[in-house]
Amino acid sequence: MALVQPESTPQVFCEPLDRMDPEVLYRLLWLRSEVFNGEQHCTDDDLDGRELEPASRMVWAEVDGRPVSTLRILEDPGVVVLGRLATDAGHRGRGIAAALVLRALQECAGRSVAIHAQAHLKDWYAGFGFVVDGEPFEEAGIAHVPMRLTR
């Protein structure tokens, strides 16, 4: 009988695009495409050029050296914007996405943070202190709500 090796604990990283390994970046963008375009059938393009802005950062988790979850941090006037949170289907429900959000919030300590949360995740984001900050809207063919964490 073969022993099954458990997965290692996820490692979380945060880097600006120009300091990232190109293969890791490719895998993260592929993951986003898989989730947003494949699973969720989003109607908008995922790649909007915002990652190329000098202040943007990518946050991601790796399990056994393989990227399994990602989000991005953007700088807008007066607020930090978190977005494009995506986790590989086989790694959901393990707290990896929560670890990314917590890391992102550490990265922007003391600053207000805005998100466009998919409506069905509103309560999940509320667990981090986000509150609804406007009317629901549709983005990329999916119901969203604006949320903000004021610090």
Side-chain angles (χ1 to χ4, degrees):
M1 179 173 178
L3 294 175
V4 177
Q5 295 294 321
E7 287 187 325
S8 61
T9 302
Q11 291 183 288
V12 179
F13 303 91
C14 181
E15 294 288 346
L17 200 71
D18 63 354
R19 292 187 36 207
M20 291 182 65
D21 177 295
E23 183 176 340
V24 170
L25 176 60
Y26 178 85
R27 290 181 185 280
L28 295 176
L29 296 176
W30 183 264
L31 172 61
R32 283 182 11 191
S33 176
E34 203 171 66
V35 171
F36 299 133
N37 301 114
E39 290 178 30
Q40 298 180 353
H41 308 290
C42 289
T43 57
D44 295 353
D45 291 332
D46 173 45
L47 297 178
D48 59 6
R50 299 274 332 251
E51 287 87 0
L52 298 173
E53 296 172 2
S56 71
R57 289 163 281 165
M58 297 287 285
V59 181
W60 74 96
E62 294 181 6
V63 173
D64 296 328
R66 181 176 156 253
V68 297
S69 189
T70 184
L71 71 75
R72 70 182 184 181
I73 302 172
L74 304 175
E75 299 282 340
D76 278 354
V79 68
V80 177
V81 179
L82 304 185
R84 302 294 203 266
L85 176 60
T87 301
D88 174 73
H91 289 85
R92 293 180 191 148
R94 301 179 188 188
I96 297 172
L100 291 190
V101 172
L102 290 172
R103 173 65 184 269
L105 293 176
Q106 286 176 340
E107 291 290 323
C108 25
R111 303 202 41 218
S112 292
V113 181
I115 59 172
H116 288 172
Q118 290 187 8
H120 71 280
L121 294 172
K122 175 178 70 170
D123 293 338
W124 185 77
Y125 282 109
F128 297 99
F130 286 92
V131 296
V132 175
D133 187 37
E135 296 299 315
F137 61 96
E138 186 174 295
E139 183 174 62
I142 298 172
H144 282 74
V145 292
M147 298 185 81
R148 185 175 291 260
L149 174 63
T150 303
R151 308 192 271 182

